[in-house]
Amino acid sequence: MKILGIETSCDETGAAVVEDGKTILSNIVATSLPLHAKTGGIIPEVAARQQLKFILPVIQKALEEAKIKIEQLDAIAVTYGPGLIGPLLVGVETAKTLSYVYNKSLIGVNHLFGHIYANWIGQAPEFPALALIVSGGHTDLVLMKNHQQIQWLGGTRDDAAGEAFDKVGRLLNLPYPAGPKIEELAKKGNPKKFNFPRPIISSDDFDFSFSGLKTAVLRKVQNLKKLDDPTIADICASVQQAISDVLTRKTLHATNKFRVKSILLGGGVAANTFIVDQLKTNLSALNFETKLLVPSKKLCTDNAAMIAAAAYYKSEQTDWQNLTANPQLYFD
Ligand code: KG4
Ligand code: ZN
């Protein structure tokens, strides 16, 4: 089954053709990040205009690379939320139009499930599985007994993990998005130099809270005599360590409680090798049979292959008249 996936929830315009939810035939991403880097964050109106500019060329390229005509597709899948309304509308309305004109099944996909299903591409997760979604907008732990029984365990009460990286980056004058830069600078820093807060790390629930971290870094920066490169590296390493400690502790707490066979990482922060390595080391110390799965870096950040993969496992098709973009979409 060949599905065309379309992803436009934020600042990436993605189109991909994926076969049977696991084999990528093409995966094209056009990003408007350089524009947002100039303004230090995403301006929704600018992101929506860029989506309009990229959407058709990106779809065309995805079909060409997959050597497939729209007529030969089995379905069209599109992210309908969560995300920014303007960018979402571009993808949703394009997918609806293609579905109507070419009489193709249409499948609306929750972006968050997309991040989870990136793990089915070229990998074979076993159930029960625990998914940790860590992106710019979300930090969630989700228990999957199978493809139908999915239970949200907890999430962030304030900032998402990626958001924490980005906000700290702004305080340190690093380019947006700051996650990759903080990871790079942290390699030269001392993670024990600053003891930043790890809120609710030991609570019995599966919630997260990262907003205190940004405030603590702000106070530290204000109190420093000078913010030189070695100090910036120490702050980066200490912040990354704090975020990694919290993500690791909560994920392993859930792993222990639900005795899952796989842990699935997803979202931009899952591209952080330091965090993945800490999770791996702590997991192997537990001596469980649980496997840690991480998508390739290109599949961690926003892309349309993950949307096509998630659609393959979703049985309900959507009538095009009934599909509407939903910026607040979450887990049911
Ligand atoms: O999943 P994603 O591409 O978009 C959303 O759905 O939000 O995630 C983007 C987020 C940004 O906050 C970015 O700073 C963070 O992922 N990120 C990273 C890394 N690469 C991207 N955070 C930490 N380390 C990285 N290597
Ligand atoms: Zn995302």
Side-chain angles (χ1 to χ4, degrees):
M1 188 174 184
K2 289 176 183 159
I3 299 181
L4 169 70
I6 297 176
E7 156 63 40
T8 66
S9 65
C10 192
D11 53 349
E12 263 94 28
T13 313
V17 181
V18 176
E19 189 164 14
D20 296 339
K22 58 179 184 217
T23 310
I24 294 181
L25 303 184
S26 65
N27 186 20
I28 310 298
V29 179
T31 180
S32 55
L33 255 184
L35 265 185
H36 307 303
K38 282 187 203 156
T39 46
I42 295 172
I43 298 174
E45 165 82 14
V46 175
R49 283 174 189 272
Q50 291 301 108
Q51 294 288 2
L52 270 177
K53 188 166 128 190
F54 290 139
I55 188 74
L56 291 179
V58 164
I59 291 175
Q60 190 180 27
K61 194 154 180 230
L63 293 169
E64 274 170 18
E65 260 192 29
K67 297 190 176 54
I68 191 168
K69 295 203 162 35
I70 296 194
E71 291 83 349
Q72 297 167 291
L73 290 168
D74 295 292
I76 296 172
V78 63
T79 302
Y80 70 106
L84 300 168
I85 184 65
L88 279 172
L89 277 171
V90 175
V92 168
E93 295 308 311
T94 305
K96 280 160 78 171
T97 309
L98 292 177
S99 145
Y100 175 71
V101 172
Y102 292 94
N103 194 24
K104 294 288 164 192
S105 309
L106 181 65
I107 305 168
V109 174
N110 181 330
H111 180 84
L112 301 171
F113 282 113
H115 278 304
I116 295 175
Y117 276 92
N119 284 286
W120 266 264
I121 299 174
Q123 309 185 110
E126 278 183 71
F127 290 121
L130 174 75
L132 172 68
I133 304 162
V134 270
S135 70
H138 290 272
T139 306
D140 293 292
L141 271 170
V142 178
L143 180 65
M144 298 175 82
K145 291 195 178 133
N146 49 48
H147 291 294
Q148 286 75 38
Q149 287 177 284
I150 296 170
Q151 185 194 350
W152 179 79
L153 300 176
T156 186
R157 296 180 185 171
D158 39 59
D159 291 351
E163 196 177 356
F165 274 109
D166 296 338
K167 286 182 174 170
V168 166
R170 205 169 300 155
L171 296 173
L172 300 176
N173 291 320
L174 301 178
Y176 174 88
K181 191 73 192 166
I182 291 182
E183 181 178 11
E184 185 195 320
L185 295 175
K187 288 187 185 131
K188 291 178 229 142
N190 173 6
K192 296 200 176 114
K193 182 72 192 256
F194 302 108
N195 187 19
F196 291 126
R198 288 139 169 85
I200 58 172
I201 189 169
S202 306
S203 62
D204 201 35
D205 54 34
F206 300 104
D207 284 351
F208 301 87
S209 167
F210 290 111
S211 68
L213 191 54
K214 152 201 79 193
T215 316
V217 174
L218 173 66
R219 269 199 219 109
K220 181 57 65 192
V221 169
Q222 283 169 339
N223 290 336
L224 283 169
K225 286 199 187 81
K226 65 174 179 146
L227 193 59
D228 54 11
D229 286 351
T231 313
I232 290 179
D234 286 340
I235 294 176
C236 288
S238 303
V239 163
Q240 181 174 256
Q241 185 70 65
I243 294 176
S244 189
D245 283 352
V246 176
L247 294 176
T248 301
R249 176 84 75 92
K250 293 277 173 164
T251 305
L252 295 188
H253 176 39
T255 305
N256 186 25
K257 181 161 179 184
F258 299 103
R259 293 297 161 130
V260 292
K261 289 198 175 148
S262 338
I263 299 173
L264 316 175
L265 298 193
V269 180
N272 184 297
T273 311
F274 179 88
I275 295 175
V276 172
D277 286 349
Q278 188 177 351
L279 261 166
K280 245 184 225 158
T281 312
N282 284 262
L283 180 64
S284 64
L286 285 178
N287 270 330
F288 291 165
E289 302 268 290
T290 313
K291 286 202 185 94
L292 178 69
L293 284 86
V294 191
S296 65
K297 280 192 199 255
K298 196 178 172 193
L299 293 174
C300 283
T301 49
D302 288 352
N303 67 89
M306 66 183 197
I307 302 304
Y312 178 76
Y313 293 96
K314 204 180 157 189
S315 44
E316 326 90 73
Q317 291 171 10
T318 326
D319 193 356
W320 70 264
Q321 285 101 332
N322 294 331
L323 186 67
T324 44
N326 180 358
Q328 321 299 346
L329 187 67
Y330 202 32
F331 292 100
D332 294 332

